[in-house]
Amino acid sequence: MAKRIDGKMISAQVKDECKKRVEEEGLNVTLAVIQVGSDPASTVYVGNKKKACEYIGICSRPYELPEDTTEESLLELVEKLNRDDSVDGILVQLPLPSHIDEDRVIRTISPAKDVDGFHPQSVGALSIGQPGFVSCTPAGIIQLLKRSGVEIDGKECVIVGRSNIVGKPMAMLMLRENATVTVCHSHTANLKEVTKRADILIVAIGRPRFITREYVKEGAVVIDVGIHRNEDNKLCGDVNFEDVEPVASAITPVPGGVGPMTVAMLMNNCLEAKNIAGGSK
């Protein structure tokens, strides 16, 4: 039976380390959180981020804007926060309403305050091994693996999904850790054959319970990034957990696996923003 990788416990460790650092270094960190509209899932995520900020000692400055906020007024707010020296990090909660160009908003955030790690400059820095913010979910997965004693160096890693937020940065981080990396997607031929090579299988395709034991090598470590509600309104992932758990050596549950790490690494990025800005103000 697979070891369950406990994202709640590991995220708590990361948050405790951040809290200790804030206290010991006397850091004064402010995160601006912008939410446009009242998407229920976004509201939950924003609430979790506010709670984490409060626990660690980061000042969370909320901007809750109506659904009909124009793109121009949102960009004006982002530019204002870019110029505000009291703000260390800027987070615009996605998804945005359909009339707003998400890419344009992301590109407007100053790379020095891009704590989500989505700005093209942040992504470019990651791709060539330069310092910069790393997208929170992939960074959290690296911590899950390392803190669970999973050896990455020299291992075969297969990532299913090539999104800009998870799949692509995940591939670059695994390369940085000296894994041999394959990225699969909707056009991959013989997907099962490719995934069965993986020592570490990371799944981020947005299809509920898609990955079954036929896709998994005996003894593989399986990381499930997906989150959905099934027909019984219970949370599930991209991996059929009950089917895969008996053949994996370690696996993340949904909920309680990758999800908590995303918020924890956001907090870590907020503290790193202080370093990028040149230390405490």
Side-chain angles (χ1 to χ4, degrees), residues 16-78:
D16 283 344
E17 289 163 13
C18 290
K19 180 181 173 74
K20 185 178 178 185
R21 195 172 148 200
V22 167
E23 290 168 353
E24 290 184 350
E25 298 179 28
L27 295 177
N28 179 22
V29 183
T30 297
L31 171 66
V33 181
I34 303 171
Q35 182 180 359
V36 183
S38 54
D39 175 76
S42 292
T43 300
V44 170
Y45 293 143
V46 168
N48 289 340
K49 289 163 186 174
K50 286 178 183 172
K51 283 179 197 166
C53 284
E54 191 175 340
Y55 175 74
I56 289 162
I58 293 171
C59 174
S60 175
R61 195 183 294 179
Y63 295 85
E64 293 165 0
L65 308 180
E67 186 86 22
D68 60 359
T69 298
T70 65
E71 183 176 305
E72 290 309 314
S73 61
L74 176 57
L75 292 174
E76 283 172 17
L77 173 59
V78 171

Side-chain angles (χ1 to χ4, degrees), residues 76-203:
E76 283 172 17
L77 173 59
V78 171
E79 291 281 19
K80 179 184 171 189
L81 295 170
N82 282 342
R83 296 189 298 270
D84 187 341
D85 286 342
S86 70
V87 173
D88 301 289
I90 301 170
L91 185 152
V92 179
Q93 182 64 42
L94 303 179
L96 290 167
S98 57
H99 66 277
I100 297 176
D101 182 347
E102 286 186 359
D103 184 54
R104 190 176 175 205
V105 173
I106 288 166
R107 284 186 280 111
T108 302
I109 297 170
S110 165
K113 300 187 180 189
D114 170 40
V115 288
D116 257 336
F118 293 164
H119 192 283
Q121 186 169 315
S122 303
V123 177
L126 173 61
S127 71
I128 57 171
Q130 294 294 316
F133 293 111
V134 177
S135 184
C136 300
T137 300
I141 290 168
I142 293 292
Q143 289 301 313
L144 281 179
L145 293 170
K146 287 186 171 181
R147 292 174 189 242
S148 299
V150 175
E151 180 73 30
I152 303 174
D153 195 315
K155 299 298 183 185
E156 181 123 10
C157 172
V158 175
I159 299 163
V160 187
R162 56 177 169 180
S163 73
N164 291 336
I165 291 174
V166 179
K168 290 175 186 172
M170 192 75 249
M172 289 186 279
L173 283 177
M174 294 301 279
L175 284 171
R176 185 187 282 185
E177 298 294 333
N178 298 317
T180 299
V181 181
T182 302
V183 179
C184 300
H185 45 78
S186 57
H187 293 252
T188 299
N190 304 317
L191 180 62
K192 287 180 184 175
E193 291 176 23
V194 180
T195 58
K196 283 200 87 151
R197 296 202 310 257
D199 301 308
I200 302 170
L201 178 62
I202 301 171
V203 187

